[in-house]
Amino acid sequence: MGFSLQAWLFTRTTGYGQEGKFSGPLKPMEFSIFEGQEPSQPIFQFKANPPAVTFKLTGETDGIFQIQSDGLLYHNKSLDRETRAVHRLQVSALDAQGNTVEGPVPVTIEVKDINDNRPVFLQQHYEGSVRQNSRPGKPFIYVNATDLDDPATLNGQLIYQIIMQLPKVNNVMYFQINNQTGGISLTPQGSQELDPLKNPSYKLLVSVEDMGGLSEHSFTDSVHVDITVKENIWKPPEPVEIEENSTEPYPIKITQVQWNDPGALYSLVDKENSPRFPFSIDQKGDIYVTQPLDREEKDAYVFYAVARDEQGKSLSIPLKIQVKVKDINDNPPTCPSPVTVLEVQENEQIGSSIGTLTAHDMDEQDTINSVLEYRIVDQTPKVPQDGLFLVQEFSGILQLVVQSLRKWDTPQYNLTIEVSDRDFKTLCFVQINVIDINDQIPIFEKSDYGNLTFPEDTAVGSVILTIQATDADEPHTGSSKILYRITQGDSEGRLEIETDPQTNTGYVKLKKPLDFETVAIHNIVVQAENPEPLVPGVQYNASSSTTFRLTVTDVNEAPQFFQQVSEAKVSEAVAKGTKVGNMTAKDPEGLDVSYSLRGDKRGWLRIDPATGEIFSVALLDREAESLYRVQVVATEVGGSYLSSTAQFHLTLTDVNDNPPRLVKEYTGLFFCYPPKAPGSLIFEATDDDELTFRGRHFTFSLGSESLQKDWEVSKINGTHARLSTKHTGFEERVYNIPIRIGDGGRPPLERTVSLPVTFCKCVENRCFQPAARMPGIPPVGMAVGILLATFLVIGIILAVMFFRMKRDKGQHNAESAQASETKALRN
């Protein structure tokens, strides 16, 4: 029998015989063979060593594996991994007498899986139920399928999907499936929209596919799933009403909640963060109040019940729990204040309302517990009689019921009023003051205060006259307080009158400056009035008014500008002689005005002395001063030559008159020498023109085309550029690179600047340049020679000086000896 070895057979052994890949000596071997292959396929050729002449095969052959006498191992049937995934065989070498001379050795055959089995659902039909508003993504039913192929390979990897949903409302899928686990759950739309009243049941067609759904040769199976939608019982309970301060034993069950399925974990959440939260919930969903409630402390509670699974995840939206605290009559009425003070005029008519006593009750409003009744139980004094007042039973309004009051009978009454609800009584106290009526008018002490004369420059706020009126009504009341009002002679409101609240004295003061040129004589009429209205039948008359005559004398005043600050705006490029502004002033006395400038430090402007028109007389420069401020002086012509000043502000708008320049002097740009690779340096440009909202947009280029083979300039942004070298063949020296910078303005301006770049040796990434010999400085050898010669000259000088000093000392000694001898002879 002859065989042809197939390339798709492979082994997991190492080391084969010399005769080929699929033959070798008898030793332990492992082989992997795909199931479903054609029978009679060779596996391996074992070689016998003498005296072995034949081979024997034992073990889990299952009638499939055989070995020829020459040692060729093969299978005569197709393999099936699902029947046996691993065959464990033994091969022995025999001699001519059938005795084992080598072995047995183990031979393991692993059957590799192919996709030859389709997935099959475990049930022919599935049924499940789900409650409306269930949490999306939480499975409520699983479908399962099996595949006999190897689950460790793609052949046994199953993918689930929903093929069809009936009904499909508005083309929206209410259900979803986990493609790995087969768990069916609600989509977010399904969680919100499922309603058993609209569609109580749904039918799904679910498919399963092997090969991970990645191959067109995969197998599939499908199954029907019937789903019943149940009503959601996770609903907020009806609002609860609890009577306050209940004496029943606590805790007291007040309501309950229930999740759709057993096993939920319940808790309460107080989103109001109340300092006291008197509620609890057990794991049956029963909600309790744990202590007495006080409606006056808090009349209602709103909190939420939450259901969670064992992992602590919320099963659905929290339920709102509303608790209203029911009122009981446990609070007595309270008075608005220790004493309520009211006023009544002495001429009030019978039945008039004096005021209202408003007591309070902390119990719930608009209930029987807070209905209050009022009753007067005492009046002090009982003059001229008792029972002068009445209080309305339920409103607390006090009225006069017998006669009008008179202050001289008694200026004050005190009432004790009983305020009661259904169970409690409280005494409140009311003080009623009888006040005087405004039946007297103010009367001036003078009907005419005569003539007053003041210059027009009298200071604002000055008191020019004191007036006095009196009122016979009760002092320090609205009936006797006097307000003074100018009714004639001051149409421009230059005067005002302040009243002393203690004495009712009126002080006439200047509110605005006087102006002789406008009005020279004011005939003033003043009216005295009370803030309280007069009683019917009483009216103000001539006794309540007075007059005085105010004469304003002329004062020579300086010219007055129509505006103290004048602003103008022109381009800095305007021609000489252009009118840039105008300022005018008027002299109150009507004299002519002459104009001049002060503070024109740059000499840019001149002013027409007669008209006040301002002209440019030199070229303006915004970069030197963008806001130019000068003073305009207006001087009256003739008279006292008084003058006044005003400000003139000239704003200069920019024109493009400054070419670009480097932002600084670049003196430290360098590359290390010798350069190992092309490098680059960054520099920045600017100009002195005004920065616009678009910013600066310069252009950069080399100033000479001859440099383009060595250098390159590239723009980074509107103000920065990069200077780069194109090679490394530079000398160790300084290169001055001309850079052309343009601003693109109107008109466009450009400037060529020089950028010095040094190629130098570097130490620690810094440029190192030895100090060069400066002109006039000798070399080291010459300097040493000069120094030695200097020391020699100094030595000679010192020696000469020492010799002369020694000689002078000897001569002095000789002269001394000679003198001594002469003296001795003389003796």
Side-chain angles (χ1 to χ4, degrees):
M1 180 183 296
F3 297 98
S4 61
L5 299 179
Q6 304 297 319
W8 40 261
L9 288 175
F10 60 90
T11 70
R12 294 197 302 239
T13 63
T14 58
Y16 294 92
Q18 298 296 322
E19 297 181 7
K21 185 177 181 181
F22 296 103
S23 64
L26 183 63
K27 62 180 180 179
M29 303 287 283
E30 292 182 355
F31 301 94
S32 295
I33 303 175
F34 281 103
E35 65 174 331
Q37 300 289 345
E38 295 180 0
S40 302
Q41 296 294 332
I43 299 174
F44 194 78
Q45 176 75 59
F46 290 100
K47 299 297 184 179
N49 296 319
V53 295
T54 186
F55 291 87
K56 177 183 177 182
L57 180 65
T58 58
E60 299 170 344
T61 62
D62 294 344
I64 299 175
F65 297 97
Q66 295 182 356
I67 191 168
Q68 296 182 165
S69 59
D70 60 358
L72 181 61
L73 177 66
Y74 65 97
H75 63 90
N76 57 17
K77 295 180 182 179
S78 295
L79 302 180
D80 184 8
R81 192 202 66 83
E82 289 69 39
T83 301
R84 190 187 294 274
V86 178
H87 294 263
R88 293 174 175 81
L89 310 177
Q90 295 84 37
V91 178
S92 304
L94 309 178
D95 58 13
Q97 286 76 33
N99 299 317
T100 301
V101 297
E102 190 176 354
V105 298
V107 175
T108 302
I109 307 294
E110 178 191 9
V111 183
K112 302 290 286 185
D113 185 50
I114 64 172
N115 190 26
D116 57 349
N117 292 278
R118 64 189 294 264
V120 178
F121 279 102
L122 299 181
Q123 297 178 210
Q124 295 182 352
H125 179 262
Y126 288 87
E127 293 182 353
S129 63
V130 63
R131 294 207 182 260
Q132 65 179 139
N133 303 124
S134 292
R135 182 161 59 91
K138 181 182 179 183
F140 59 86
I141 187 176
Y142 285 87
V143 295
N144 297 102
T146 60
D147 192 311
L148 295 178
D149 289 320
D150 187 357
T153 67
L154 197 62
N155 303 327
Q157 292 184 10
L158 305 183
I159 297 295
Y160 299 92
Q161 63 176 331
I162 297 175
I163 303 300
M164 182 171 56
Q165 168 191 301
L166 294 176
K168 193 173 185 181
V169 181
N170 297 327
N171 201 33
V172 175
M173 289 295 292
Y174 290 159
F175 303 92
Q176 59 187 350
I177 190 169
N178 187 309
N179 63 359
Q180 301 292 326
T181 65
I184 299 176
S185 62
L186 294 180
T187 63
Q189 295 92 335
S191 176
Q192 296 177 7
E193 300 178 13
L194 275 186
D195 187 350
L197 299 180
K198 295 180 179 179
N199 292 296
S201 63
Y202 289 83
K203 185 180 290 293
L204 304 180
L205 179 62
V206 178
S207 73
V208 63
E209 184 178 4
D210 62 12
M211 301 293 288
L214 302 176
S215 173
E216 61 182 6
H217 302 296
S218 58
F219 295 111
T220 64
D221 191 16
S222 61
V223 70
H224 288 280
V225 181
D226 291 331
I227 299 174
T228 301
V229 181
K230 296 181 178 180
E231 183 182 4
N232 179 26
I233 61 175
W234 181 248
K235 294 181 178 179
E238 293 295 323
V240 180
E241 191 173 79
I242 304 174
E243 188 175 88
E244 67 173 330
N245 297 318
S246 173
T247 57
E248 296 184 28
Y250 289 86
I252 302 172
K253 179 180 176 181
I254 58 174
T255 188
Q256 67 176 10
V257 295
Q258 185 179 354
W259 177 243
N260 295 314
D261 302 310
L265 303 177
Y266 300 102
S267 62
L268 298 180
V269 176
D270 177 25
K271 294 187 178 180
E272 297 178 343
N273 294 321
S274 304
R276 186 171 70 101
F277 184 65
F279 300 96
S280 65
I281 188 171
D282 61 20
Q283 292 313 304
K284 295 179 182 179
D286 295 334
I287 299 176
Y288 300 87
V289 59
T290 58
Q291 54 186 281
L293 305 181
D294 185 0
R295 193 203 67 83
E296 287 70 44
E297 175 187 336
K298 189 173 179 64
D299 61 357
Y301 293 84
V302 176
F303 52 93
Y304 294 85
V306 179
R308 292 185 170 87
D309 60 16
E310 295 179 352
Q311 286 72 41
K313 294 183 179 179
S314 179
L315 295 170
S316 184
I317 58 174
L319 298 183
K320 185 177 183 181
I321 311 298
Q322 301 180 69
V323 176
K324 179 182 179 183
V325 184
K326 184 179 180 181
D327 185 49
I328 63 173
N329 191 24
D330 58 348
N331 290 280
T334 59
C335 303
S337 61
V339 178
T340 300
V341 180
L342 302 176
E343 290 184 345
V344 58
Q345 288 186 343
E346 58 182 354
N347 68 333
E348 286 287 353
Q349 298 180 359
I350 295 176
S352 297
S353 172
I354 300 173
T356 302
L357 173 66
T358 304
H360 302 283
D361 194 306
M362 295 293 292
D363 293 315
E364 186 175 3
Q365 296 299 308
D366 302 323
T367 68
I368 190 65
N369 298 329
S370 61
V371 175
L372 303 181
E373 297 183 20
Y374 299 85
R375 183 173 67 90
I376 298 176
V377 296
D378 185 53
Q379 170 193 312
T380 303
K382 298 176 175 56
V383 177
Q385 66 181 69
D386 196 8
L388 292 175
F389 304 97
L390 170 71
V391 63
Q392 294 187 11
E393 184 177 6
F394 294 104
S395 67
I397 296 175
L398 287 162
Q399 295 174 287
L400 281 174
V401 294
V402 176
Q403 65 179 52
S404 297
L405 304 179
R406 293 183 299 180
K407 186 171 183 179
W408 54 80
D409 288 338
T410 182
Q412 186 181 94
Y413 291 90
N414 294 292
L415 304 180
T416 303
I417 299 178
E418 179 187 84
V419 185
S420 61
D421 62 14
R422 190 172 58 173
D423 300 309
F424 300 95
K425 295 180 180 180
T426 301
L427 294 180
C428 296
F429 301 97
V430 177
Q431 176 182 305
I432 300 176
N433 295 323
V434 182
I435 61 174
D436 184 32
I437 60 175
N438 191 15
D439 57 355
Q440 301 294 321
I441 63 173
I443 298 176
F444 274 103
E445 63 177 5
K446 295 181 182 180
S447 61
D448 187 351
Y449 281 85
N451 296 322
L452 306 175
T453 301
F454 285 91
E456 63 178 334
D457 62 352
T458 301
V460 172
S462 300
V463 177
I464 63 172
L465 178 65
T466 300
I467 58 178
Q468 182 72 60
T470 58
D471 192 302
D473 288 313
E474 182 180 0
H476 308 301
T477 66
S479 300
S480 62
K481 182 180 180 180
I482 298 177
L483 301 178
Y484 298 99
R485 181 169 58 90
I486 296 175
T487 58
Q488 294 181 25
D490 186 26
S491 59
E492 296 184 353
R494 298 181 186 274
L495 304 179
E496 63 179 354
I497 305 177
E498 294 182 357
T499 303
D500 186 324
Q502 302 298 323
T503 64
N504 279 335
T505 301
Y507 299 96
V508 183
K509 303 171 68 174
L510 286 184
K511 184 179 180 181
K512 297 179 182 178
L514 300 175
D515 188 2
F516 171 82
E517 288 73 23
T518 303
V519 180
I521 298 176
H522 299 265
N523 293 307
I524 305 297
V525 178
V526 180
Q527 178 74 32
E529 299 174 344
N530 302 127
E532 287 287 338
L534 297 172
V535 298
V538 179
Q539 295 181 348
Y540 297 106
N541 56 34
S543 299
S544 299
S545 64
T546 189
T547 63
F548 66 89
R549 180 186 180 92
L550 175 60
T551 300
V552 181
T553 59
D554 188 27
V555 175
N556 188 21
E557 300 171 274
Q560 297 177 358
F561 281 95
F562 291 101
Q563 56 186 121
Q564 283 301 307
V565 179
S566 177
E567 297 180 348
K569 181 184 293 186
V570 296
S571 169
E572 65 173 331
V574 297
K576 296 180 183 179
T578 301
K579 179 181 177 180
V580 296
N582 184 60
M583 291 197 71
T584 55
K586 179 181 179 182
D587 185 72
E589 288 74 38
L591 298 177
D592 292 336
V593 177
S594 175
Y595 301 95
S596 61
L597 293 180
R598 182 185 298 165
D600 183 18
K601 57 187 179 182
R602 297 188 179 274
W604 284 353
L605 305 175
R606 74 171 180 85
I607 190 169
D608 188 308
T611 65
E613 294 177 315
I614 301 173
F615 300 88
S616 65
V617 295
L619 294 179
L620 307 180
D621 186 1
R622 188 203 67 83
E623 287 69 38
E625 200 155 356
S626 60
L627 178 60
Y628 194 54
R629 298 180 177 90
V630 296
Q631 286 185 332
V632 178
V633 181
T635 305
E636 63 182 12
V637 179
S640 302
Y641 291 95
L642 298 178
S643 64
S644 60
T645 60
Q647 299 291 325
F648 177 68
H649 295 173
L650 180 62
T651 300
L652 302 181
T653 59
D654 190 43
V655 297
N656 193 34
D657 57 350
N658 289 278
R661 59 178 175 82
L662 293 176
V663 75
K664 64 180 181 179
E665 184 178 357
Y666 287 93
T667 58
L669 301 179
F670 71 91
F671 290 107
C672 290
Y673 181 86
K676 298 179 180 179
S680 62
L681 300 168
I682 294 176
F683 61 93
E684 181 183 0
T686 186
D687 68 18
D688 297 315
D689 290 317
E690 184 176 13
L691 183 65
T692 66
F693 71 94
R694 293 178 56 252
R696 307 196 189 281
H697 293 274
F698 297 134
T699 60
F700 302 89
S701 61
L702 289 171
S704 173
E705 294 183 359
S706 63
L707 298 175
Q708 293 181 358
K709 65 179 182 300
D710 301 323
W711 302 88
E712 180 181 17
V713 175
S714 56
K715 182 177 180 179
I716 298 176
N717 54 35
T719 57
H720 291 73
R722 178 179 285 108
L723 175 63
S724 305
T725 60
K726 288 188 173 182
H727 55 77
T728 60
F730 291 89
E731 299 177 1
E732 184 180 4
R733 65 181 181 87
V734 177
Y735 291 81
N736 290 298
I737 311 302
I739 306 293
R740 184 182 297 112
I741 308 174
D743 63 7
R746 296 182 181 178
L749 299 177
E750 67 177 31
R751 172 182 285 170
T752 299
V753 299
S754 179
L755 202 62
V757 180
T758 303
F759 283 84
C760 58
K761 290 183 173 60
C762 291
V763 176
E764 296 182 352
N765 293 324
R766 294 185 179 182
C767 185
F768 175 77
Q769 291 179 302
R773 186 172 66 86
M774 298 181 63
I777 297 179
V780 175
M782 183 180 293
V784 172
I786 294 173
L787 185 60
L788 291 175
T790 302
F791 287 155
L792 180 60
V793 171
I794 293 173
I796 292 173
I797 294 173
L798 290 175
V800 171
M801 291 179 63
F802 177 76
F803 176 77
R804 291 187 64 180
M805 290 173 62
K806 186 174 182 181
R807 186 187 63 181
D808 291 343
K809 183 177 181 182
Q811 184 177 355
H812 176 72
N813 291 338
E815 291 176 351
S816 297
Q818 185 177 359
S820 299
E821 291 177 357
T822 302
K823 185 176 181 181
L825 290 176
R826 286 176 180 173
N827 290 333

